[in-house]
Amino acid sequence: MNSSIRSRYFWPAAMLVTLALLAIGLVTVQSTSAQSATAVINTGALNVRSGPGTQFSVVDVVYQGQVVTMIARTTDNSWVFIRTPNVVDGWVNASYIIPSVPINTLPIIGAITPTPTPPPTNTPVPGTTPTPVQPIYATAVVNTGALNVRSGPAPTYTILTAVYQGDILVMLGRNGDGSWIYISTPSNVVGWVNAKYVIPSIPIANLPIIGPVAPTPVPGTATPIPPTPPPTAVPSSAVVTTGSLNVRSGPGLSYSRADGLDYGQYVTLMGRNLDTTWIKVTTPNGKQGWVNGKYIATTLNMNTLPVLTQTGTGIVVTGVLNVRSGPGPDYSILTSAPYGANMTLLGRTSDNRWLRLRAPDWTEGWANGAYIATSLDLNLLPVLAGPVPTVPAVPGVPPGIPPVVPPPVDPGNTASLRACPNTACAVTGSVYSGLSVTATGRSADNTWIFVNVNNGQQGWIPAQYVVLAVPIESLPVLTTPTG
């Protein structure tokens, strides 16, 4: 009987316990459902990192279409702290997920760190207890092809590394006027970048103002000496002002390409050639070479740079210029250069009438200086030969221009005269090697000359077949009628 009574009272009690457990379970499920926020991965593969930035290590990878649980966010909403299907917690870039709730509704946290081990109970030193600082992660995206990271907030500081278009930087501080930002790169290098070339996630003015970071002092040592500021009286750097700039092994277009620079990159100035048309520089990656001075900008007067090579540049201003084995028309022809060719000037005769030079095909020889235009003071070139003997004046030839030395007469070596400056035009006559003709005009590009022959023939002939007694530019430009 007693047993029966115990059984009768026990059943309702068991039911009550079961119902209570079900109720508790129901409440727990409802609470979890209400607080969960999810997101769908919207890229092929997405790294999950140990902190909110690409400089942090990868702890897991999630893939297109997977669902993750969102837990928290950074202050700028650019990174989200999530839990993966593998139950790994970490940070993902918010640009690559589709959230189920607005990201700005998530709680803000800094970098998630493991549960700290209780510190040892050492007696604290009075006045040395640090004030806890909650980390704030503000980021910036590099908005130029390549950007130098420097040791201080100015282009005169040394280059530590470079970051590239699209790289994400962690912003740590700024200088007083906000023109330079102290950052951490994806490879964990800290330094300064020019604020003009990044897109910040928050106003730069919101960053703390800091100076160049000095090394952390070792306890018990003397206070470190602040870094010496760079010299400002004589700037030693220049910025590239063209989209892409070749760095060459020597001061001229004929030299091989040694490196390349992009718009906005800084170089260190080392020296120049005689006429300051080419500048020797050190590139951001430490290579040395020569760049065309037209495509870099600096506050320094580049004429004050040391002259590192006794060369200049000149441009051919006649139809075809012969380069000879010696300084005079009697020497053999080594090669020739067309109108507009760039020549490297190496030296001169003592009277400046003939120049030692290097042609675009790397042949070195002598050419008549009257047919080379240059901004260089020829007296700066080294004297490599004595004066060229003066030739008798010829009526109608400007002073200083030597008379034509005609080639040997060869009636079998002929050239056609044409009705217009083009090989497709009709033939109007012919001339032979060594025949004297009168040049009365030229084409606008200096490649054709209009001549009159003593027998009444006239027409156009390629300039390369004519030896002129005057610079080709002295002839008038003639146009041929059309229609």
Side-chain angles (χ1 to χ4, degrees):
M1 180 176 177
N2 290 338
S3 174
S4 175
I5 293 173
R6 285 198 297 269
S7 175
R8 184 176 58 182
Y9 283 97
F10 176 77
W11 183 83
M15 288 292 293
L16 289 172
V17 170
T18 302
L19 290 174
L21 291 174
L22 288 174
I24 293 172
L26 181 61
V27 170
T28 302
V29 171
Q30 289 175 342
S31 174
T32 302
S33 176
Q35 294 180 359
S36 295
T38 60
V40 178
I41 305 303
N42 194 34
T43 188
L46 180 60
N47 289 326
V48 182
R49 298 185 178 272
S50 60
T54 55
Q55 74 272 23
F56 290 93
S57 60
V58 177
V59 296
D60 198 1
V61 179
V62 286
Y63 299 94
Q64 183 95 32
Q66 284 190 301
V67 178
V68 297
T69 301
M70 297 193 298
I71 300 172
R73 63 183 173 96
T74 55
T75 54
D76 61 358
N77 301 329
S78 61
W79 289 79
V80 178
F81 190 68
I82 58 103
R83 178 163 296 158
T84 73
N86 298 330
V87 198
V88 174
D89 292 346
W91 293 86
V92 295
N93 191 316
S95 302
Y96 303 111
I97 61 174
I98 303 174
S100 63
V101 299
I103 292 177
N104 59 13
T105 62
L106 299 173
I108 298 174
I109 60 172
I112 301 299
T113 56
T115 303
T117 304
T121 57
N122 294 333
T123 303
V125 179
T128 61
T129 304
T131 302
V133 177
Q134 178 68 24
I136 297 177
Y137 297 99
T139 59
V141 178
V142 178
N143 194 34
T144 186
L147 179 60
N148 290 324
V149 180
R150 297 184 177 272
S151 60
T156 47
Y157 284 89
T158 56
I159 297 171
L160 304 176
T161 187
V163 287
Y164 301 93
Q165 185 93 33
D167 281 354
I168 298 177
L169 314 175
V170 176
M171 298 194 295
L172 306 173
R174 63 181 176 94
N175 63 349
D177 61 3
S179 60
W180 288 76
I181 304 173
Y182 192 62
I183 57 92
S184 175
T185 72
S187 57
N188 287 325
V189 176
V190 292
W192 293 84
V193 296
N194 193 318
K196 293 190 297 184
Y197 303 113
V198 299
I199 302 174
S201 61
I202 65 172
I204 293 175
N206 293 354
L207 298 172
I209 298 176
I210 58 176
V213 177
T216 304
V218 178
T221 61
T223 303
I225 300 173
T228 303
T232 56
V234 182
S236 60
S237 63
V239 64
V240 177
T241 59
T242 187
S244 180
L245 180 60
N246 287 325
V247 181
R248 297 190 177 272
S249 59
L253 295 174
S254 57
Y255 288 91
S256 61
R257 183 180 184 275
D259 201 357
L261 296 165
D262 295 318
Y263 176 85
Q265 283 192 291
Y266 283 87
V267 294
T268 302
L269 305 178
M270 301 180 64
R272 62 183 176 97
N273 65 347
L274 277 176
D275 54 1
T276 321
T277 53
W278 288 82
I279 308 297
K280 190 171 185 180
V281 302
T282 300
T283 68
N285 58 16
K287 292 185 177 180
Q288 294 185 2
W290 293 82
V291 297
N292 193 317
K294 293 190 298 184
Y295 302 116
I296 58 175
T298 178
T299 57
L300 175 70
N301 180 356
M302 290 191 286
N303 290 318
T304 63
L305 291 171
V307 176
L308 302 181
T309 176
Q310 298 292 316
T311 63
T313 57
I315 298 176
V316 176
V317 292
T318 188
V320 176
L321 178 65
N322 291 325
V323 179
R324 298 181 179 273
S325 59
D330 295 332
Y331 288 90
S332 61
I333 297 174
L334 302 176
T335 188
S336 60
Y339 177 86
N342 284 278
M343 313 292 272
T344 301
L345 308 182
L346 306 174
R348 62 184 175 98
T349 56
S350 58
D351 57 3
N352 292 346
R353 291 178 53 207
W354 283 75
L355 301 177
R356 176 81 176 175
L357 47 77
R358 182 185 297 117
D361 64 0
W362 279 82
T363 300
E364 291 190 9
W366 292 85
N368 192 320
Y371 302 116
I372 298 175
T374 179
S375 60
L376 174 67
D377 179 359
L378 296 180
N379 293 313
L380 296 176
L381 291 172
V383 176
L384 302 180
V388 177
T390 304
V391 295
V394 176
V397 177
I401 304 296
V404 172
V405 178
V409 175
D410 183 3
N413 185 10
T414 63
S416 296
L417 300 178
R418 297 187 179 272
C420 65
N422 192 301
T423 54
C425 297
V427 175
T428 60
S430 65
V431 291
Y432 56 85
S433 178
L435 179 66
S436 295
V437 296
T438 302
T440 59
R442 61 183 171 97
S443 60
D445 59 1
N446 293 337
T447 58
W448 289 77
I449 297 174
F450 192 81
V451 299
N452 292 282
V453 189
N454 291 337
N455 62 6
Q457 295 184 100
Q458 61 179 13
W460 292 89
I461 186 172
Q464 62 186 358
Y465 299 146
V466 179
V467 179
L468 290 172
V470 295
I472 193 172
E473 287 73 23
S474 64
L475 298 175
V477 175
L478 302 181
T479 56
T480 55
T482 58

